[in-house]
């Protein structure tokens, strides 16, 4: 099946007024963020335990449990945050939903998109991830989809760019 015909089928489904088909972020983003949490807080807990144990006595080394508790709390929060992110491509716009306590849903009409870029820093590249950033004329628009597979990020960028050019041509 051709990619173009699959995109046309998705457009037909979206135009029918059905509930948007949400896409969750891949688990690689969660793995990366949790590893970074362990890399920063693990050595901190070890350093606090060793330094306080050596300088103030063994009882004070119990304060090393604070960074470990923070690590456990962060581990859970990162999972909840990761599960809250999703996006949906509709006929006329892109929806991005995120947030655990404060739900935030961003709607970006295709015709308002000025620039769609794919970025990948060194840590993201190591984990095989990329971020799609959407820019519109509104300075307050924060339309970012982090942690995508690079092939999916490029496909999304190309599709959004194509749809943006088609919708803005009618303005």
């Amino acid at each position: 099946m051709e990619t173009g015909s699959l995109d046309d089928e998705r457009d037909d489904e979206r135009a029918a007024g059905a509930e948007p088909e949400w896409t969750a972020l891949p688990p690689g983003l969660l793995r990366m963020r949790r590893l970074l949490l362990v890399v920063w807080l693990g050595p901190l807990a070890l350093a606090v335990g060793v330094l306080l144990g050596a300088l103030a006595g063994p009882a004070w080394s119990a304060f090393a449990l604070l960074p470990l508790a923070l690590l456990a709390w962060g581990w859970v929060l990162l999972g909840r945050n990761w599960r809250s992110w999703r996006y949906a491509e509709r006929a006329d716009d892109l929806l991005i939903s995120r947030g655990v306590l404060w739900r935030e849903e961003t709607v970006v009409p295709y015709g308002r998109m000025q620039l769609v870029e794919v970025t990948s820093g060194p840590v993201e590249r190591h984990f095989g991830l990329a971020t799609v950033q959407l820019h519109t004329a509104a300075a307050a628009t924060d339309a970012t989809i982090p942690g995508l597979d690079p092939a999916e990020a490029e496909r999304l960028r190309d599709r959004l760019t194509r749809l943006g050019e088609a919708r803005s041509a009618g303005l």
Side-chain angles (χ1 to χ4, degrees):
M1 178 181 277
E2 290 182 359
T3 305
S5 63
L6 180 62
D7 289 341
D8 292 339
E9 288 176 17
R10 286 182 179 170
D11 287 339
D12 293 341
E13 290 172 9
R14 288 184 203 103
E19 180 69 24
E21 185 179 321
W22 291 100
T23 304
L25 297 183
L29 178 66
L30 180 61
R31 275 193 301 272
M32 178 189 76
R33 289 180 174 173
R34 282 182 169 168
L35 180 65
L36 289 174
L37 182 73
V38 170
V39 164
W40 284 102
L41 290 178
L44 178 65
L46 184 63
V48 167
V50 168
L51 285 175
L52 285 178
L55 298 176
W60 286 94
S61 64
F63 277 100
L65 295 176
L66 292 175
L68 291 177
L70 187 60
L71 190 145
W73 183 59
W75 189 275
V76 172
L77 288 182
L78 285 173
R80 291 184 67 195
N81 179 271
W82 171 76
R83 281 189 300 277
S84 76
W85 276 86
R86 59 190 186 158
Y87 67 96
E89 301 172 61
R90 296 194 307 183
D92 295 321
D93 50 32
L94 177 74
L95 299 176
I96 302 171
S97 180
R98 64 188 172 279
V100 177
L101 292 177
W102 287 273
R103 231 37 213 144
E104 186 174 330
E105 192 165 291
T106 304
V107 180
V108 183
Y110 296 133
R112 300 285 184 189
M113 286 186 229
Q114 294 182 335
L115 175 68
V116 181
E117 63 181 346
V118 175
T119 60
S120 186
V123 176
E124 285 178 312
R125 279 194 309 274
H126 178 75
F127 283 90
L129 302 173
T131 297
V132 174
Q133 175 77 40
L134 305 165
H135 298 278
T136 65
T141 301
D142 180 23
T144 303
I145 305 173
L148 296 175
D149 178 66
E152 170 64 10
E154 290 175 14
R155 182 207 64 84
L156 189 60
R157 178 200 58 208
D158 294 343
R159 178 171 165 69
L160 294 176
T161 301
R162 187 175 67 247
L163 288 168
E165 289 173 354
R167 299 297 195 281
S168 67
L171 294 178

